[in-house]
Amino acid sequence: MQGKFITLEGIEGSGKSTNLKVIKDIFDQNKIDYVITREPGGGPLGPHLRKLLLDKDQSISPSVEMLLMMADRKDHVDNLIKPNLDKGVWVISDRYLDSTIAYQGGGRQLDINLITSLSAALKLPSPDFTLLFDLPVDVALHRAEERSELDRFEREPKDFHSRIRDSYLELASNNHRIRTVDSSKDIESVSMQVEKYLTDFLNA
Ligand code: TYD
């Protein structure tokens, strides 16, 4: 049987990575065989592409940025995501196609149809289930600033991040596979929401 494909999405500082532990615990309790991966950077070419894409001193045009994200994704899908799903192993990816729709479509204002057409042409699989970590942009950016030195995306103005958040919320309202977690709450309340949504998905 095919493994299930689960993705985590959200703006900078939204708490995706913090909640990986909760997700792992639920999978372990349910004896599910899984791999955890991320974008950009999950395929064999990933480390090079990720370094280039996040480098704050690199100047990259919006369409080239989108194409590099899609190239990274195709490499990731062909070499890690698909082989695992085909073996029955579940894949949890920290970011996937919704990130390109929100960041390059919403944030950089590229044509979303171009992104979805390219994804279809490349035969990229759709996630079975997505958790969207949502919170106000001010709170999220403050958290990201406290975390580490800011990368090329985190340095963008607030408007850019607000457009990304709006795109994500629109995606969530149009796609039943996406569950929105209120990430502005304390860690415990966020973990409880993650646990509930994931358990509901496992029992569906
Ligand atoms: P990362 O350090 O992994 O950020 P985070 O911890 O917030 O996930 O950096 C990934 C950055 O790449 C993040 O700013 C979002 C951006 N990104 C895109 O713009 N488009 C994409 O398709 C993907 C996968 C990521």
Side-chain angles (χ1 to χ4, degrees):
M1 207 174 67
Q2 282 276 115
K4 298 273 185 214
F5 182 26
I6 294 175
T7 59
L8 310 180
E9 295 285 355
I11 59 175
E12 313 298 324
S14 59
K16 289 178 290 100
S17 313
T18 315
N19 279 283
L20 265 176
K21 168 92 179 70
V22 181
I23 299 173
K24 280 187 195 170
D25 286 348
I26 296 174
F27 277 55
D28 289 339
Q29 280 157 20
N30 285 276
K31 303 204 175 352
I32 292 170
D33 202 2
Y34 63 90
V35 291
I36 292 183
T37 183
R38 69 168 177 185
E39 289 193 355
L45 296 175
H48 305 288
L49 290 169
R50 182 177 171 91
K51 190 159 175 279
L52 190 66
L53 280 160
L54 299 190
D55 184 354
K56 62 178 171 39
D57 299 321
Q58 202 63 247
S59 150
I60 306 178
S61 75
S63 9
V64 171
E65 181 179 279
M66 185 272 283
L67 291 167
L68 288 172
M69 290 292 180
M70 295 302 273
D72 174 77
R73 181 159 306 124
K74 179 69 175 153
D75 181 54
H76 190 202
V77 163
D78 288 352
N79 293 288
L80 187 135
I81 298 179
K82 221 172 156 297
N84 275 292
L85 295 176
D86 289 346
K87 277 191 300 196
V89 176
W90 292 36
V91 176
I92 307 162
S93 185
D94 185 343
R95 298 194 179 282
Y96 186 65
L97 181 63
D98 296 329
S99 281
T100 312
I101 295 175
Y103 278 75
Q104 280 67 50
R108 303 280 193 224
Q109 299 176 296
L110 290 179
D111 180 2
I112 289 175
N113 286 327
L114 176 63
I115 299 170
T116 49
S117 311
L118 191 53
S119 168
L122 294 172
K123 301 199 166 48
L124 300 178
S126 234
D128 296 295
F129 178 72
T130 299
L131 283 172
L132 168 62
F133 293 84
D134 177 65
L135 79 176
V137 171
D138 284 332
V139 184
L141 288 182
H142 182 67
R143 285 186 190 172
E145 274 164 24
E146 289 193 325
R147 207 167 46 180
S148 57
E149 206 202 340
L150 300 182
D151 65 32
R152 206 168 58 78
F153 292 97
E154 290 163 341
R155 280 162 193 263
E156 290 290 340
K158 191 180 156 191
D159 269 16
F160 173 76
H161 297 282
S162 298
R163 286 197 300 274
I164 296 170
R165 183 186 185 203
D166 291 347
S167 290
Y168 269 134
L169 291 174
E170 195 182 330
L171 275 170
S173 67
N174 294 328
N175 285 282
H176 191 63
R177 77 174 152 85
I178 304 179
R179 291 280 174 268
T180 308
V181 173
D182 178 356
S183 215
S184 65
K185 301 265 166 26
D186 56 279
I187 290 184
E188 204 159 305
S189 144
V190 175
S191 312
M192 277 166 62
Q193 295 174 64
V194 170
E195 204 174 321
K196 184 188 177 305
Y197 282 142
L198 208 52
T199 312
D200 287 350
F201 173 71
L202 294 178
N203 293 333

